[in-house]
Amino acid sequence: MAYSVAVGSGAPLLLRVIAVDFSYYRGAVGIGVAVYEGDLRHVLRQSFTLSWASHKIAATCASRRCLMRAIETALRGFHVRERLEQGQIRSFLRLLRGRGLRVSYLLATKYTSVVISRIAQRGFHGINVIVYDELSGDEAVRAEEIKRGLKERRLSIIGEIRGKNYLVALSDIAAYLAALDNYLSKYPPDDEEGRRAEEMKEELIELLKPYNLELL
């Protein structure tokens, strides 16, 4: 469902924020994209919800005396670490669901081409902003591929924002799911590590279903 806001006396303006992040599991890469469509107030409400849930997780970290993790999560948002406890991811997603986070759709894949094609296929008449996490060298190359590919599909992109932020928190979890899926496609779950990865993948699929997840 899209929301609109009138600007001056012109036609209603729609905004689509494309939040992109990358994650890794034992060397396997994943790309996660959370798409927020609506007017600016709608997008800010979703950012507030992600901020609220991040602060809840930060408080839990502080109670466990993980002070730097608490400060980082409160100020920069919840972000997955490869060896992060499953319980924290689970708690964060349940907080978001209880608070009513609204995402247009969520992509988890290892291919930049899939990101470009799926976003371009979605009917949308408005302006686009791309939001990234901090990017390493390889990630910056993939991010540029995505932006260039979307522009080639004639999407109106008015700008991009880079750096740790709340809107990419859900993208990060989707990217982690994609990294797990990528790893398991190469290494079947025939040992303890593989079985743990398979269990986490299946749980994340269930937890992310409310956000119109596509694992491709």
Side-chain angles (χ1 to χ4, degrees):
M1 180 177 183
Y3 299 79
S4 64
V5 59
V7 178
S9 59
L13 176 68
L14 289 175
L15 171 67
R16 174 165 60 181
V17 175
I18 304 166
V20 182
D21 205 358
F22 304 89
S23 190
Y24 304 88
Y25 183 82
R26 297 177 69 86
V29 65
I31 308 171
V33 182
V35 178
Y36 305 87
E37 295 175 347
D39 62 26
L40 181 58
R41 289 183 181 180
H42 172 73
V43 173
L44 290 178
R45 281 198 298 270
Q46 309 322 306
S47 181
F48 175 79
T49 297
L50 290 158
S51 169
W52 172 84
S54 295
H55 280 79
K56 287 286 189 180
I57 297 298
T60 300
C61 291
S63 69
R64 296 175 180 173
R65 304 191 66 80
C66 301
L67 298 183
M68 284 306 299
R69 176 67 176 167
I71 294 168
E72 181 181 6
T73 302
L75 297 180
R76 306 174 78 179
F78 180 86
H79 295 280
V80 176
R81 294 182 177 179
E82 185 167 324
R83 298 190 179 278
L84 186 67
E85 295 178 11
Q86 284 183 226
Q88 284 195 0
I89 299 175
R90 186 184 302 119
S91 297
F92 182 72
L93 289 173
R94 287 176 176 168
L95 285 166
L96 294 179
R97 186 172 184 181
R99 195 76 171 187
L101 180 75
R102 301 182 68 174
V103 181
S104 295
Y105 54 95
L106 191 64
L107 302 176
T109 183
K110 61 181 176 180
Y111 302 109
T112 56
S113 59
V114 168
V115 174
I116 295 165
S117 63
R118 294 303 289 165
I119 293 175
Q121 286 169 10
R122 298 271 183 164
F124 181 78
H125 301 286
I127 58 175
N128 298 272
V129 176
I130 305 178
V131 177
Y132 302 107
D133 195 348
E134 294 175 341
L135 300 174
S136 66
D138 289 342
E139 292 169 356
V141 171
R142 291 189 176 95
E144 188 60 33
E145 287 177 2
I146 292 170
K147 183 174 72 171
R148 183 171 61 249
L150 292 176
K151 284 185 173 181
E152 289 173 355
R153 299 294 187 96
R154 299 181 181 273
L155 271 70
S156 172
I157 299 173
I158 63 169
E160 61 181 76
I161 300 170
R162 297 192 182 191
K164 292 285 186 184
N165 64 84
Y166 298 111
L167 284 174
V168 297
L170 191 62
S171 311
D172 194 17
I173 297 174
Y176 187 60
L177 168 60
L180 288 168
D181 185 61
N182 190 3
Y183 171 79
L184 289 166
S185 70
K186 300 174 183 177
Y187 306 102
D190 56 1
D191 59 10
E192 183 177 351
E193 184 68 28
R195 287 189 289 273
R196 190 179 79 85
E198 180 71 23
E199 290 173 2
M200 186 63 180
K201 171 189 166 181
E202 294 304 321
E203 182 176 15
L204 284 178
I205 288 173
E206 288 301 314
L207 289 169
L208 293 173
K209 275 183 179 178
Y211 307 110
N212 301 313
L213 171 69
E214 295 183 37
L215 177 59
L216 303 168

